[in-house]
Amino acid sequence: MARIIFRRANLLDGDRPARPNTTVVVEGDRIAAVREAPVETGADDREVDLGGRTLMPGLVSCHFHSSYSNITIQPEPLGVEKPAGYLMLCAANNVRTALHCGITTLVSAGANTGTLDAELKMAIEDGIVEGPRMLAGSRGLDTRGGYTDTENWWWELGNRGAQRFADGPEEFRRVVRDEIKKGADIIKIFLSGGHAVPEFDGAMSLSRAELDAVIETAHQR
């Protein structure tokens, strides 16, 4: 099997101080050797001379909103600020940028429109979009009148973006099952106030029974 041989790496492995002038040998998708002694090169091997540049494991971003583009601290109708197709193009660009910055795993902090994260993850896995491994998030679950239900009620628009509202344990069970069926790996809950919503400072959106239903159902799935 052809190998990739990284020479003259400043190796940062996460366990010890950086090790200069290190050779790392990769066979397939596995690291086969890490050594300071020279490695003999085969005819089919590919050599990469890093010239002292740092070589390190891939980074993990644990709070990633894939479709954000020029989002400010001003209130935004997240998930419906642009058409869904536009937001998916933003997301595809963002995950490619993340990969090229050395991030090899993304953990979603919530899908901002419907099943965007789950669809994006599928496209990455199928090789249609270039991006890191991804854990897809659900929309954020909250109660009607909860801390993210900030729309003026007389508009009667509902929320088709980043939030999904439910009331009562059984309704939350149904919503969690539906989000997981549509590809969510992570269930996001808007449980208490935050993110500049002072009227819910210290208050709880979900009851204990509703929260238990979300957790139990997610674990069952």
Side-chain angles (χ1 to χ4, degrees):
M1 176 184 296
R3 304 175 301 173
I4 302 176
I5 301 174
F6 295 96
R7 298 191 187 277
R8 295 202 297 161
N10 183 45
L11 180 64
L12 187 64
D13 62 13
D15 289 328
R16 68 203 83 188
R19 298 155 62 185
N21 201 29
T22 303
T23 298
V24 178
V25 181
V26 177
E27 292 185 9
D29 61 357
R30 301 188 68 82
I31 296 172
V34 176
R35 60 185 64 172
E36 295 177 5
V39 174
E40 187 174 341
T41 306
D44 296 328
D45 291 339
R46 176 189 170 198
E47 288 191 78
V48 180
D49 187 345
L50 293 177
R53 294 179 179 86
T54 298
L55 184 65
M56 62 184 287
L59 299 170
V60 178
S61 175
C62 293
H63 189 111
F64 194 83
H65 289 289
S66 61
S67 66
Y68 275 13
S69 179
N70 299 320
I71 296 298
T72 71
I73 61 172
Q74 299 301 316
E76 296 277 359
L78 295 175
V80 291
E81 69 273 22
K82 295 286 186 179
Y86 182 103
L87 294 177
M88 180 58 84
L89 291 174
C90 290
N93 181 63
N94 288 339
V95 296
R96 181 181 182 276
T97 299
L99 183 63
H100 284 244
C101 289
I103 296 171
T104 57
T105 300
L106 297 174
V107 181
S108 169
N112 297 321
T113 177
T115 57
L116 183 145
D117 275 4
E119 295 171 22
L120 180 61
K121 176 185 175 181
M122 188 186 304
I124 292 171
E125 291 177 345
D126 289 345
I128 296 171
V129 171
E130 184 183 23
R133 291 180 294 271
M134 185 172 182
L135 292 174
S138 71
R139 284 173 286 180
L141 307 188
D142 198 355
T143 56
R144 292 173 181 85
Y147 100 84
T148 63
D149 189 9
T150 56
E151 162 196 299
N152 292 325
W153 61 265
W154 56 89
W155 292 352
E156 296 183 351
L157 295 176
N159 190 296
R160 298 176 176 82
Q163 280 80 260
R164 185 170 184 179
F165 301 116
D167 290 295
E170 292 310 309
E171 190 172 349
F172 270 101
R173 290 184 194 277
R174 179 186 63 79
V175 166
V176 169
R177 289 169 180 151
D178 187 56
E179 290 287 332
I180 293 172
K181 176 184 177 181
K182 293 175 179 176
D185 299 305
I186 297 170
I187 299 298
K188 180 169 184 174
I189 312 167
F190 285 117
L191 184 58
S192 60
H195 292 301
V197 187
E199 60 268 27
F200 258 82
D201 185 21
M204 301 282 283
S205 288
L206 278 69
S207 70
R208 182 74 221 193
E210 290 169 330
L211 177 60
D212 286 345
V214 170
I215 296 169
E216 290 169 4
T217 307
H219 286 178
Q220 288 170 357
R221 287 293 192 267

